Amino acid sequence: PSSATTAQPPPQIQGTGPTHPIRLIPHLDSTRSLHFEAGCRDVRQGDPLLRIGRFTEQPGNTSNKFAFKSKVDSRGHAEVWFDAGAWYIKDTKSSSGTFLNHIRLSPPSTESRPHPIKDGDVLQLDVDYQGGTEEIYRCVNMRVELGREWKTGVNPFNSNVLHQLRALSSPSTKLTTKKAVAISPNISVADCVICLCAVTVCQALFIAPCSHAYHYKCIRPLLQMHHPGFSCPICRTFADLEADVD
């Protein structure tokens, strides 16, 4: 990661000003990745630290914590916070370590210096316990998302894709052509990026929540590998395929 900084956590008071969302999603880099639901927190300048650690059944405030059902994590493993326009993380004396982009932040049981984090960074809590085969003995691999909230709403890209898909399913399209439909010269669902063949009528398609389209038989191995988690090969947007439909 970037060189360590001497920035210190803000005082534990209620924050003010605009909110700054942070989202932690599973980093699907291997079949041994621990599955967990993506978590999002909205933080203001001066808000209490967000704690990261192992889930416990004890009652308490969970709005300022990311908790994971992994037995290799410490209860208080790391902390993240927002200060002066940037996000920071530090390890809080965990035994097996916090890793930022595959680099350990501090020696065992030693608190690290604050390190800046940015959109797309990969965080790892601890390492896999080699003596356990159950999922709860896997380390937590996650990716940081900052400033991507625009993707969860209506935008020109997904609106245009929906328009094109409706055109693909219209009777006139089925009767007149088997070529890919490309309504916009800039945004198109014309090709499957996996096989590089056209997306057209009479095909089984998979439409990701980010609105990127693939042939189902092309994307099926990725869907099965980490189900219900899915990371789009094009934009890396994470989605829970079993999430409720609004």
Side-chain angles (χ1 to χ4, degrees):
S2 304
S3 58
T5 175
T6 57
Q8 295 301 313
Q12 299 298 289
I13 58 176
Q14 190 65 33
T16 58
T19 59
H20 304 276
I22 181 172
R23 189 170 184 240
L24 299 182
I25 65 173
H27 181 53
L28 306 181
D29 63 339
S30 71
T31 56
R32 284 190 56 82
S33 295
L34 175 74
H35 173 70
F36 60 89
E37 292 186 6
C40 184
R41 300 289 186 273
D42 291 329
V43 175
R44 291 182 171 88
Q45 176 76 39
D47 270 351
L49 303 173
L50 293 176
R51 295 176 292 121
I52 303 177
R54 186 174 75 245
F55 173 82
T56 65
E57 299 290 348
Q58 297 178 354
N61 181 22
T62 59
S63 63
N64 67 330
K65 183 175 183 179
F66 289 101
F68 305 96
K69 294 183 178 180
S70 171
K71 287 192 174 182
V72 300
D73 293 347
S74 303
R75 291 185 181 181
H77 199 102
E79 294 174 340
V80 296
W81 67 93
F82 181 85
D83 185 41
W87 284 92
Y88 297 91
I89 185 172
K90 72 173 182 178
D91 183 280
T92 51
K93 300 182 179 180
S94 68
S95 58
S96 298
T98 301
F99 299 80
L100 174 58
N101 296 325
H102 312 294
I103 298 177
R104 187 165 181 164
L105 300 186
S106 61
S109 303
T110 302
E111 184 173 293
S112 75
R113 296 181 180 181
H115 290 258
I117 54 176
K118 61 184 183 302
D119 181 59
D121 279 348
V122 175
L123 301 178
Q124 178 180 322
L125 307 183
D126 277 298
V127 294
D128 290 345
Y129 174 58
Q130 300 302 320
T133 58
E134 299 177 57
E135 189 178 33
I136 58 174
Y137 292 106
R138 298 177 186 175
C139 65
V140 180
N141 275 293
M142 51 193 157
R143 188 155 47 87
V144 179
E145 288 191 349
L146 303 173
R148 298 194 187 190
E149 53 274 8
W150 65 272
K151 289 188 175 182
T152 61
V154 177
N155 58 63
F157 175 77
N158 56 33
S159 297
N160 189 72
V161 168
L162 179 61
H163 184 44
Q164 294 182 53
L165 292 172
R166 286 175 173 171
L168 278 175
S169 63
S170 67
S172 59
T173 301
K174 293 179 180 179
L175 291 174
T176 60
T177 183
K178 283 194 175 182
K179 295 182 179 180
V181 175
I183 296 173
S184 167
N186 299 319
I187 305 175
S188 174
V189 292
D191 297 322
C192 169
V193 299
I194 298 177
C195 68
L196 303 182
C197 294
V199 170
T200 185
V201 297
C202 302
Q203 295 176 337
L205 304 178
F206 172 78
I207 312 300
C210 56
S211 294
H212 288 120
Y214 308 89
H215 294 126
Y216 176 71
K217 71 174 184 178
C218 297
I219 199 70
R220 183 175 60 186
L222 287 179
L223 298 178
Q224 295 174 333
M225 184 179 298
H226 300 289
H227 187 271
F230 172 74
S231 181
C232 176
I234 296 177
C235 66
R236 306 295 292 172
T237 296
F238 174 82
D240 182 349
L241 299 182
E242 292 189 352
D244 293 336
V245 178
D246 294 334

